[in-house]
Structure formats: structure tokens, C-alpha cells
Amino acid sequence: MFRTLGQTMESPNYTNLDPSIFFLLGIPGLEQFHLWLSLPVFCLGTATIVGNITILVVVVTEPALHKPVYFFLCMLSTIDLAASLSTAPKLLAILWCGAGHISASACLAQMFFIHAFCMMESTVLLAMAFDRYVAICHPLRYVTILTETIIVRIGVVAMVRGSLLMLPCPFLIGRLSFCQSHVIPHTYCEHMAVVKLACGDTRLNHVYGLTIALLVIGVDLFCIGLSYALIAQAVLRLSSQEARSKALGTCGSHVCVILISYTPALFSFFTHRFGHHVPHHIHILLANVYLLFPPALNPVVYGVKTKEIRERVIRAFQRAQGSRVKAS
């Protein structure tokens, strides 16, 4: 793979690189702000690690939280952690010291994992919508439908789906010839950013990338929307206003997470393909918002809006504080 990479670079600053090495440029046009931009990236990365590990520890150690909705939340937190670790370290290295060199194999691996994790997250969000549909529309069958076996199978399907859909991309890119440049004007090895550097016919790459994006985002959003349409229909049939509020309240966290996850994803997708007059640095900033914000904000949303998690996190902090007081 990449044996046909060219020998020259667009910029004279990167002329003597090995043909099997790419260079991630960061955010072109905002190089003078890289150090400042690293501050929110570092904060979001830290929040992602702390928040998601907290969610995992709380759910695992509290038997009362061993329910389908929280198991799905653990899957989401695990994926968010993995996606963040695939991007944040290299991104910070670029912003802090311009360390954009990345081997072809590492670039392919990063591309595979970033996009595969995003597809896995979309599948888990769809599963969480199904969980809310069953809980509200078929409450008496909730335990029998969402058994531990079914939850494990959904987790496996999420992993296999994301991996299989992304698997052809590295091979499709590996057949291309890079005869002009291997400077990637991006902060990570984004699929289309790499494809645009190729000299040969890239129509298959474009078609496959667009098909997968539409298949995952389109199908998952349609199914999530259908679930919530059925939920709204069931809630409107309830005679008590209190029952309606309680039913809708159980969906609040999930709706917030969907908005946080899909809104930047859709903005990034449409501006990348149709926003030809949008400045390039805006494309890259939107792509980074899509990767960095949801993993950091998801634990906050569930921690604030979910009473059971909020109470147990507060209790854990109080316990830790009490232990410190006794020790002193």
C-alpha cells in the first residue's frame, strides 16, 4: 500500500519526507492560533476521559444501575473514550509543536478507527432510541425484550457494523497514486481529505464514502425519528399530565445526546460536500467539533439530567471527601 506515493510536496518546508510519510498540516490559515486552540482541545480531551470513566465506574459498581439503558450508556462511553484517544493525542502534538508527521499505515489506521467508532456510536444511539421506545410503548415487556443476551448482541452488531462498513476504505485508498503531495491540510487523516490528494480516478472512493455516510446517518436518523414519533404518539394517549411529563423526561438525556452528536456531524458532512464557498478552516473546525464535543458533553448531559447517576456521583464525591476528613 502507498508504494506509489510521490516524491514531492506542495510546500518547500516538507520536501525531503519519505514517500510513505504523510504530514498533517493542522488548521491551514489559523497556524498562528494553534497554541490557543490547543487549550480547548486539551480541556475537552480531559473532560472526555474523566467524564466517561466516571460513568463507567458508577454504572459498573452500582448494582441498581445494571439496566439496559445504562449498559447502552456504558457502550457509548467506551466508544467515546476510544474515539478520543484516536484523535486527541496527535491533534495536541500538531497544535503544540507542529508534529504532523504520520506514516501511511498509521494514517490508514487512524482513519479506520475514527470513522468506525463514529459508525458504532450512531448504532448505539439508535439502540438507545429503541430502548426508550420499548420502555414507554411496551413497559410490561421491557425486561423480556431487552435481555442481557440481546444487549450483548446489539453491542456486537455495533462493532461489526462499524468495522465492516469502514474496512474497504483503507484498501480503496491503498490502490491510489499520490504523485503530487502527501501534505494533508487537516488535523487528522479524514477519508476525503486523503482522497483529494490522489492523482488517479477517485470516483469509487467518493461514491463509497458518500454511500456509507448516507447509509449510516440517513438510516439511523430515520429509525431514531420513527422511534420518537411512536413514543410521542403513545405519550399523547396518556390522560395524566404528570404521566406525560415523566415519560418525556426519561427521553430528555437521549434527545440531548442525539442533538449534540448529529448536529455537528450533519453540518460537517454538508459543508464538506456542498459548501464550496465555505473557508477551508471552517470545514476543519467543524470536523473537530464533531469529534471532540460529543464525547466530552455526553457524560455531562447524562450526569446532570439522569437522577440515578447524578445522585451516585454526588454520593461518591461525598464519600471521598469524608475519607479525606477522617484521614486528616
Side-chain angles (χ1 to χ4, degrees):
M1 275 187 193
F2 288 93
R3 58 186 180 276
T4 55
L5 284 174
Q7 305 290 328
T8 59
M9 308 293 290
E10 286 180 345
S11 169
N13 296 326
Y14 314 113
T15 50
N16 295 319
L17 290 178
D18 187 280
S20 63
I21 299 292
F22 278 123
F23 189 89
L24 292 164
L25 209 54
I27 308 175
L30 297 180
E31 289 89 351
Q32 67 272 32
F33 300 112
H34 274 188
L35 192 59
W36 292 105
L37 289 169
S38 69
L39 296 176
V41 170
F42 179 78
C43 292
L44 288 168
T46 304
T48 297
I49 293 170
V50 173
N52 286 291
I53 287 178
T54 301
I55 292 288
L56 289 169
V57 170
V58 167
V59 173
V60 170
T61 57
E62 290 288 343
L65 297 180
H66 292 178
K67 299 175 183 176
V69 63
Y70 299 116
F71 290 143
F72 288 133
L73 180 56
C74 283
M75 291 182 198
L76 190 66
S77 292
T78 304
I79 293 168
D80 283 342
L81 276 171
S84 180
L85 292 173
S86 299
T87 53
K90 187 62 180 177
L91 176 54
L92 286 172
I94 294 167
L95 297 177
W96 278 338
C97 49
H101 300 81
I102 185 168
S103 68
S105 56
C107 188
L108 287 175
Q110 188 190 52
M111 180 194 305
F112 173 82
F113 284 116
I114 287 174
H115 293 295
F117 286 138
C118 290
M119 294 179 201
M120 291 177 200
E121 180 162 340
S122 183
T123 307
V124 172
L125 289 174
L126 174 57
M128 293 172 86
F130 177 68
D131 169 86
R132 291 300 84 203
Y133 163 74
V134 176
I136 292 172
C137 299
H138 304 284
L140 299 179
R141 298 174 58 198
Y142 182 75
V143 178
T144 57
I145 292 175
L146 287 170
T147 61
E148 289 186 5
T149 304
I150 294 297
I151 293 168
V152 169
R153 286 177 182 173
I154 290 173
V156 171
V157 167
M159 289 178 61
V160 171
R161 183 197 189 204
S163 301
L164 287 181
L165 287 176
M166 193 57 204
L167 191 60
C169 285
F171 295 99
L172 290 174
I173 289 177
R175 70 185 178 84
L176 298 175
S177 175
F178 293 80
C179 56
Q180 294 179 5
S181 172
H182 43 135
V183 176
I184 305 172
H186 214 293
T187 54
Y188 62 92
C189 291
E190 197 269 336
H191 176 241
M192 292 310 301
V194 177
V195 169
K196 285 178 180 178
L197 299 180
C199 304
D201 185 3
T202 61
R203 282 176 296 181
L204 183 58
N205 299 76
H206 281 84
V207 169
Y208 188 78
L210 184 61
T211 302
I212 293 304
L214 291 174
L215 183 65
V216 173
I217 296 176
V219 170
D220 290 0
L221 273 180
F222 173 78
C223 293
I224 289 170
L226 181 61
S227 296
Y228 276 100
L230 295 171
I231 287 171
Q233 194 177 36
V235 168
L236 291 174
R237 289 202 201 102
L238 298 173
S239 56
S240 167
Q241 182 64 37
E242 184 181 350
R244 289 181 187 177
S245 300
K246 186 177 179 181
L248 292 174
T250 62
C251 301
S253 300
H254 185 240
V255 171
C256 289
V257 167
I258 288 171
L259 292 174
I260 291 169
S261 298
Y262 282 109
T263 303
L266 290 171
F267 268 110
S268 179
F269 175 78
F270 285 115
T271 56
H272 192 74
R273 281 162 178 80
F274 308 111
H276 302 297
H277 301 294
V278 177
H280 188 61
H281 64 269
I282 299 297
H283 286 284
I284 298 173
L285 287 172
L286 283 172
N288 283 278
V289 165
Y290 166 51
L291 286 180
L292 296 172
F293 272 82
L297 295 181
N298 290 348
V300 176
V301 169
Y302 273 97
V304 171
K305 294 189 71 67
T306 307
K307 183 181 175 183
E308 292 86 349
I309 293 178
R310 184 175 66 246
E311 287 177 348
R312 281 158 178 80
V313 170
I314 292 171
R315 197 184 307 157
F317 276 110
Q318 288 174 341
R319 225 181 281 142
Q321 194 174 5
S323 300
R324 279 198 217 101
V325 171
K326 286 180 184 177
S328 61

